Amino acid sequence: MYLITNKITYCFLKTVGIVCLSTITSLVMNTLGIGKESVIMVFLLGVLFTSVLTNSYVWGVLTSFASLMLFNFLFTDPRFTFVIYSRNDIVLLAFFLITAVVSGTVTSKLQQQIAISEKNEDTTHTLYRIAAGFLPVSGTRSIALRAVSFVNEYLGCDSAIQLDGSQSFFTNSAELPKGPSQEYIIQSNVGRIGRMLIFEADTLLDKHNALIVQAVVTQLGIALDREQLYSKQETIRLAMEKEQLRANLLRSVAHDLRSPLTALSGASNLLAENYEDLSDSERKKLALDITDEIHWLTNLVENILNMTRINDSQLVINKTDEVIDDVVNEGISHTSRLFKERSLTVHLPDEVIVVPMDGKLIVQVMTNLLENTARHTPLESLIDLTVRLGDKQVVISVSDTGEGVDPLIEDNLFDRFVTLDHGITDSRRGMGLGLAICKAIVEAHGGAIQYEPNLPKGSRFTFTLPLEG
């Protein structure tokens, strides 16, 4: 009410000021000898200015009547009376009144249409900003809080969002606002998914603001629906990846177990059925072959178990202080059978280095690297294992002078099921799990592993372990 009274007073003062200015200007023009036909145009301009400045045709019409009376009183004969003798003056005043009322009304309407157009343009920009504002947001909580922030920004009032099936509210305050509220239903493609409460909305929600609230609620429903669809798609994708991984793992295990089991069966049957006919060297050779296959199976099972733990996020790192020389020696002992006819050089630091690690898992890393090197390089290849002290870390590298890594798989070398022929396994018996497991174990320790060419020929795999837990 106070605002309305102030607006009326403001428009009244404008009207009085314009009428007074028109009157003074007309008197000056009349003194200069300018005819009343020209003077009346000053009052007509006053009517137009009143309509424009007050943005209301009512004040323009009032100015028209006031100007008519002043012109009659001051400029028609007899002057300073409201009596009119001349027919020409009557016609002039009639046309003035009609022209003033029509032009004032048209001008006021035009002003209102301009204001409506500007407001519609502002509303369009607001709706666009609301729609665009939900696009980069993900997560149910973030989406709900974005809607609450839009209501607060554009309407200046508090709001709260409650999703169906939940007792909690999303709001921009520490607790749920008090007072009367209006409820808006949040809809998605599947129906109602929640509600939005707008507090202290009775004095704020005019037609324009109600449109903004409805836009916020609509975009909120679309964003939440999109989030649910994305969540379902992500769940399906993960399930498909897990199923694909399980299928690959089963095929790999079936393929890789066939060769060693066949070799074990053949060697053991030959040893059992022809034991007396075999010489000691032949029996020893068969026993060593059986031992070699058992070692390979043991390492295969260990890799499979570690990979399943990694996939299920159950790889537990139990760090203890270990002397790096002991871990290296244990890794070499696990693969000693592969280096009976090969050249393996080991370089260890002179000082004793103690590293916090899970010794069993790091031995597995060294075993995998040494086995890969031995199985994928010719007999004459020189293999080197070097341990050195770096900046707050220990650096272990395994290098060879073989043919190096195929460039086609170099970028995916540490992915699962990557082998020389890009299939499940290769002719040298490998599931493509060893390097992937090495990477997971090393990174779980806070280190890093990488491959680089061993110039001028060969490969080098290097991994680091931090000296501090």
Side-chain angles (χ1 to χ4, degrees):
M1 189 66 182
Y2 177 75
L3 294 176
I4 295 176
T5 303
N6 278 348
K7 185 177 180 180
I8 293 175
T9 303
Y10 189 56
C11 292
F12 175 76
L13 292 176
K14 280 184 179 181
T15 301
V16 172
I18 292 172
V19 171
C20 291
L21 182 61
S22 300
T23 303
I24 294 172
T25 304
S26 298
L27 290 172
V28 172
M29 292 175 63
N30 184 257
T31 303
L32 296 176
I34 299 174
K36 56 186 177 183
E37 290 80 3
S38 299
V39 169
I40 200 170
M41 299 304 296
V42 175
F43 286 103
L44 184 60
L45 287 175
V47 174
L48 295 178
F49 277 120
T50 302
S51 298
V52 171
L53 294 179
T54 60
N55 196 25
S56 172
Y57 73 93
V58 174
W59 292 103
V61 171
L62 293 177
T63 304
S64 301
F65 283 100
S67 299
L68 176 67
M69 300 304 293
L70 286 171
F71 182 82
N72 180 28
F73 186 78
L74 295 173
F75 300 103
T76 60
D77 294 324
R79 300 181 66 181
F80 308 116
T81 67
F82 293 105
V83 179
I84 303 175
Y85 291 152
S86 173
R87 293 180 180 179
N88 291 333
D89 290 340
I90 294 175
V91 173
L92 181 65
L93 291 176
F95 276 108
F96 167 76
L97 181 61
I98 295 171
T99 304
V101 172
V102 171
S103 60
T105 303
V106 171
T107 302
S108 177
K109 293 294 184 181
L110 181 61
Q111 286 290 106
Q112 292 176 3
Q113 290 299 319
I114 293 174
I116 292 173
S117 298
E118 292 176 348
K119 193 169 185 179
N120 289 339
E121 182 181 4
D122 181 64
T123 301
T124 302
H125 284 298
T126 300
L127 297 179
Y128 171 77
R129 287 193 294 269
I130 290 173
F134 281 101
L135 292 178
V137 183
S138 61
T140 301
R141 177 177 175 79
S142 298
I143 293 173
L145 291 180
R146 177 59 61 91
V148 170
S149 68
F150 278 142
V151 172
N152 183 261
E153 178 182 354
Y154 294 115
L155 275 69
C157 57
D158 294 327
S159 59
I161 295 172
Q162 184 183 35
L163 300 180
D164 291 345
S166 173
Q167 298 297 323
S168 59
F169 285 86
F170 297 102
T171 180
N172 54 4
S173 57
E175 57 183 19
L176 189 67
K178 306 295 183 181
S181 63
Q182 288 191 16
E183 180 178 302
Y184 288 81
I185 303 301
I186 304 172
Q187 297 280 352
S188 72
N189 289 334
V190 296
R192 169 178 169 147
I193 58 174
R195 60 178 183 149
M196 185 176 198
L197 302 179
I198 309 295
F199 296 89
E200 301 178 0
D202 294 338
T203 59
L204 294 172
L205 291 187
D206 56 10
K207 185 177 180 181
H208 173 261
N209 289 338
L211 179 62
I212 292 177
V213 174
Q214 192 59 54
V216 171
V217 173
T218 301
Q219 293 297 326
L220 173 62
I222 294 173
L224 291 175
D225 192 41
R226 181 193 67 208
E227 185 69 17
Q228 291 179 357
L229 289 176
Y230 175 78
S231 178
K232 291 179 180 178
Q233 290 175 353
E234 190 67 12
T235 302
I236 294 173
R237 185 186 66 82
L238 292 175
M240 292 177 63
E241 287 185 356
K242 196 169 184 179
E243 185 61 30
Q244 183 64 35
L245 177 64
R246 183 181 293 108
N248 288 342
L249 189 60
L250 289 174
R251 288 198 299 270
S252 300
V253 170
H255 184 283
D256 271 24
L257 286 179
R258 188 182 301 116
S259 297
L261 289 177
T262 301
L264 283 173
S265 177
S268 59
N269 286 337
L270 182 61
L271 187 61
E273 294 174 1
N274 302 283
Y275 185 83
E276 299 297 336
D277 298 331
L278 298 173
S279 63
D280 289 340
S281 60
E282 290 175 332
R283 288 194 292 267
K284 184 176 181 180
K285 176 66 169 60
L286 290 172
L288 289 175
D289 289 343
I290 292 174
T291 301
D292 184 62
E293 297 297 337
I294 291 175
H295 277 299
W296 189 88
L297 280 174
T298 301
N299 191 52
L300 173 64
V301 172
E302 190 67 28
N303 279 338
I304 293 173
L305 289 175
N306 284 333
M307 181 53 67
T308 55
R309 294 190 187 104
I310 292 169
N311 290 336
D312 296 335
S313 301
Q314 295 179 354
L315 183 65
V316 180
I317 305 296
N318 297 314
K319 288 187 178 182
T320 57
D321 290 337
E322 300 279 357
V323 178
I324 193 65
D325 295 26
D326 296 340
V327 177
V328 170
N329 289 331
E330 187 172 351
I332 294 174
S333 67
H334 279 69
T335 57
S336 58
R337 69 192 185 283
L338 301 175
F339 295 98
K340 292 179 179 180
E341 300 178 1
R342 293 177 175 271
S343 173
L344 173 62
T345 306
V346 180
H347 296 90
L348 298 174
D350 295 332
E351 67 272 26
V352 176
I353 300 177
V354 178
V355 183
M357 68 172 83
D358 188 319
K360 181 179 179 182
L361 292 179
I362 297 302
V363 167
Q364 184 70 24
V365 172
M366 293 187 179
T367 300
N368 286 344
L369 293 179
L370 290 171
E371 282 199 354
N372 275 356
T373 303
R375 294 185 184 279
H376 296 91
T377 56
L379 288 175
E380 64 273 12
S381 175
L382 302 178
I383 299 174
D384 179 80
L385 191 156
T386 300
V387 179
R388 61 182 177 85
L389 191 62
D391 183 19
K392 295 184 180 180
Q393 62 183 5
V394 62
V395 183
I396 303 102
S397 61
V398 177
S399 58
D400 62 69
T401 58
E403 298 299 325
V405 173
D406 189 334
L408 294 176
I409 64 172
E410 186 174 325
D411 293 337
N412 306 103
L413 198 56
F414 293 96
D415 293 344
R416 290 170 290 193
F417 303 110
V418 175
T419 57
L420 291 180
D421 63 352
H422 309 284
I424 300 287
T425 58
D426 57 38
S427 58
R428 291 169 180 157
R429 294 190 312 172
M431 294 171 57
L433 291 178
L435 292 178
I437 291 171
C438 291
K439 180 181 180 182
I441 292 174
V442 170
E443 290 181 349
H445 280 77
I449 187 170
Q450 64 177 6
Y451 160 79
E452 60 184 352
N454 183 30
L455 299 177
K457 184 181 180 182
S459 305
R460 178 182 292 110
F461 291 89
T462 303
F463 69 95
T464 61
L465 295 173
L467 293 176
E468 297 180 359

